[in-house]
Amino acid sequence: IEKIYIMFKKKPYIIAEIGSNHNGSFHKAKEIIDLAKKAGCSAVKFQSFQNDLFCEEFYEKNKDISEQINKYSLTLPEFKTLRKYAKSKKIDFGITIFSKNELSKIKKFKPNFIKIASMDLNNFQLLKDVSKLKINLIISTGFSNYEEIKEAADIMKKNKKKNVVFLHCVGLYPVKPELINLNSMEHLKLITGYNVGWSDHYIGIKASEIAAIKGATVIEKHFTYNKKAKGWDHHISADLKDMRKLVSKIELNSLILGQKKKIISKKETDLSKIMRRSITIKKKLKANHILKAKDLQFQRPGTGIEPKKIKKIIGMKLKRDLFKGTILRYEYLKN
């Protein structure tokens, strides 16, 4: 998975989900990008929803929703400018799209990734459209059962799309701890065949920290300039202090977890020469003496013959006299 995949090998890819937390202000959106960069995030993400998100019948009964969408949305030209701004700040830029129309316009300014929200996982036509693009793709799985998730993954595979990540997600704002179920990420990876991550609707950073430890390759966390600001998602979001703490914890945990293969550093190898034991002479012995077990002992440092070679040493003759405590070496021996 291109650039994001490279990040996976070192640490999780941390997305500051700005969503609508700009409250419809282009300048506030730029300010939050600056904060996300300051926090050490890998990327920022916005949502491109327009007022055709719901049908007319719904708006007739919920006129306040229509007003809020108009209030909290940005235009596609503004998103294009924000993408350029994020690039100038050297932070990746992603966007959630909700329609083929949005996709056709947004793909032109080449975001680092496109996100499909949980509500659209069963929108298979939209999935088919995005699966044909080369761009990195992230798919959230809130509201969805395993059958739907597998169908979505199959669409990706049918079009041979490799750079996809499926995010475990619970479609509640906020989500209670007992409903988070991070252990299911392992099964999510199994049924999709793709890398997995976590889209966090939990208040606080604990769930994301654990998700990273559990193997999430992408962490998406709502992000705001002020958790007390008016708007849809500010109250469940991380602020600069929270996000800095989360990034720091994830980086430290990633260092501690390391790689799956055993690694011995040069420093540890050098120390082992002092801490490990060698075969040494237990008492003064004459040349031509045939070594017996009672002649030998194991002592530090580990710069001589290893204790595990003791059976090969017993029965060999000494070429020279050796004093008590001498570290036994092959050059002192003969068959």
Side-chain angles (χ1 to χ4, degrees), residues 44-227:
V44 293
K45 189 184 76 65
F46 291 86
Q47 296 176 11
S48 70
F49 59 82
Q50 306 298 310
N51 217 341
D52 59 355
L53 191 61
F54 293 95
C55 66
E56 286 79 359
E57 180 181 339
F58 180 86
Y59 283 137
E60 287 176 7
K61 297 177 182 179
N62 302 274
K63 292 182 179 179
D64 58 323
I65 295 294
S66 178
E67 292 173 1
Q68 287 179 334
I69 288 176
N70 285 330
K71 182 179 179 180
Y72 294 143
S73 62
L74 294 172
T75 65
L76 293 179
E78 285 176 320
F79 283 130
K80 184 177 181 179
T81 304
L82 288 173
R83 193 272 181 270
K84 291 179 180 177
Y85 184 73
K87 190 173 183 178
S88 73
K89 294 294 179 176
K90 296 183 179 179
I91 187 169
D92 285 355
F93 180 93
I95 191 161
T96 300
I97 56 101
F98 298 93
S99 69
K100 185 175 182 179
N101 181 49
E102 291 171 27
L103 176 62
S104 63
K105 295 175 181 178
I106 286 171
K107 69 180 182 182
K108 292 178 182 177
F109 57 81
K110 298 179 180 178
N112 296 100
F113 62 90
I114 281 176
K115 166 86 181 289
I116 298 297
S118 291
M119 69 183 75
D120 281 318
L121 183 130
N122 67 345
N123 185 349
F124 292 155
Q125 186 54 57
L126 184 59
L127 292 184
K128 288 176 183 176
D129 292 334
V130 294
S131 71
K132 296 172 184 176
L133 302 178
K134 291 182 179 179
I135 192 168
N136 295 310
L137 180 62
I138 296 174
I139 302 174
S140 237
T141 61
F143 312 122
S144 304
N145 58 43
Y146 280 136
E147 184 179 342
E148 292 170 327
I149 295 169
K150 189 176 184 307
E151 286 185 80
D154 288 343
I155 290 171
M156 299 298 125
K157 291 172 185 174
K158 186 176 181 180
N159 286 305
K160 298 181 180 179
K161 187 161 182 63
K162 296 180 180 179
N163 50 340
V164 182
V165 180
F166 280 83
L167 302 188
H168 172 53
C169 177
V170 182
L172 298 172
Y173 295 78
V175 57
K176 293 181 179 180
E178 62 268 26
L179 297 176
I180 292 175
N181 197 27
L182 288 174
N183 281 330
S184 68
M185 285 196 302
E186 186 176 341
H187 193 54
L188 180 61
K189 185 172 184 178
L190 183 66
I191 66 168
T192 62
Y194 288 101
N195 281 308
V196 299
W198 162 240
S199 179
D200 193 352
H201 298 159
Y202 182 61
I203 294 177
I205 65 172
K206 191 64 177 178
S208 286
E209 184 185 352
I210 295 172
I213 293 171
K214 295 291 292 183
T217 51
V218 170
I219 299 290
E220 179 187 69
K221 179 71 178 171
H222 284 266
F223 186 61
T224 182
Y225 61 95
N226 185 346
K227 290 188 281 188

Side-chain angles (χ1 to χ4, degrees), residues 20-21 23 71-72 225-234:
S20 62
N21 281 345
N23 286 0
K71 182 179 179 180
Y72 294 143
Y225 61 95
N226 185 346
K227 290 188 281 188
K228 294 182 179 179
K230 291 182 179 180
W232 287 330
D233 299 325
H234 294 285

Side-chain angles (χ1 to χ4, degrees), residues 21-40:
N21 281 345
H22 47 71
N23 286 0
S25 166
F26 174 76
H27 296 292
K28 185 64 69 175
K30 289 176 68 177
E31 177 187 327
I32 305 176
I33 290 174
D34 291 338
L35 291 174
K37 177 64 178 180
K38 199 172 181 179

